Amino acid sequence: MADLRSDFLARPVAVTGATGMVGSHLVAELLRAGYRNITLAVRRTSRVAAVRATLQRLGVAEPEGALHIVETELDDPEQLAARMPYTDTVFNCAARIMSGRLSPQELIANNVAIARGVTGWCLRSGVRKLIHISSISALGDPADPADPVTEECEPDDITRYAAYGQSKYYAEQEIRRGAAAGLPVITVLPGVILGEGDSAAGNSAALIPAISCGQPFYTNGLMAYVDVRDVVRALVLLDSRDDAPGQRFILSAGDLSYRRLITLAARAAGRLRPFIPIGRGAVNFAYGAMQAAIRLHLLADRGVTRENLGSVLRHVRYDGIRIERCCGFRYTPLEETIDRVVRYYRHPRKNHRP
């Protein structure tokens, strides 16, 4: 049994999007679990420093020879097949979240091209398993509004979705085409991911710093959240499960109202808790004010759209129990996650270990 475990951990695996919040935490989790043949497919080797910064902060050692860096474009399957060594499992964490430098159409095209390129590479190179990170934003609403969203909920009209949700939906169609061609695929659909990362990178790493400053406003919307550490633990766990390929897994530690989320963050930071409810009119006004500030160069354009802001008014629940039932997985309580992440952003130099 020990030899089988050793052989499993020695398999060559690859991570795309390793320089992002999820990807860098995944590299740390793989090393912590004992994987020792990990290739990072990156667009720019200069960004690998972000991965090693995460390893240092989490107190995870990098054994000599465990990490291999390959600089390559991710939307070109032929280039990937030529440059990447043989890989048993590919963890596809690569995607743009939002960016003021990309139009909605460019964001969609970018994320679909990455999914198409990675899928083509896996099929060309005989990769044995692809674990793809999608998003709950690619799911549809349940038939009964009283029910939670499950992995089986497909959107009725994806064109009504924000660009990121559309991009994840269309990207997943590329992954499904790979599965139809014989590629074993596992898809995870995380809720809003809470964790430590670059708060200026245009992803959910900016959420906790933004809401822990003591803002008085809140909406009555509801959303699903999950700890970044739970996401990567789930990815590593699913890699070891022979019954996981062909399945989709929502990753959600629970649904929080925006009032509750902001309250928890403010409490952890010792700041003012929200007490003024706002509705669609105020959200639309905030969007207009933000756009005016961007035009006047008073605010950086992070690619936030009207649809993005409007999501804070939605009241949808998500069911993340499948992975618990299937694999015995346990989520970190969201209160613990929020407290830890707030402490990190308030005192980043004091938080180098989990």
Side-chain angles (χ1 to χ4, degrees), residues 276-288:
I276 303 175
I278 60 174
R280 184 167 299 278
V283 170
N284 288 338
F285 176 81
Y287 177 76

Side-chain angles (χ1 to χ4, degrees), residues 195-243:
E196 303 88 339
D198 180 1
S199 60
N203 58 35
S204 61
L207 178 60
I208 294 297
I211 66 174
S212 62
C213 58
Q215 59 175 305
F217 305 103
Y218 69 89
T219 72
N220 289 317
L222 189 74
M223 183 50 68
Y225 299 89
V226 64
D227 194 318
V228 67
R229 299 186 187 186
D230 286 351
V231 173
V232 299
R233 282 196 304 111
L235 295 173
V236 173
L237 174 62
L238 291 170
D239 184 37
S240 69
R241 301 282 302 201
D242 292 335
D243 57 349

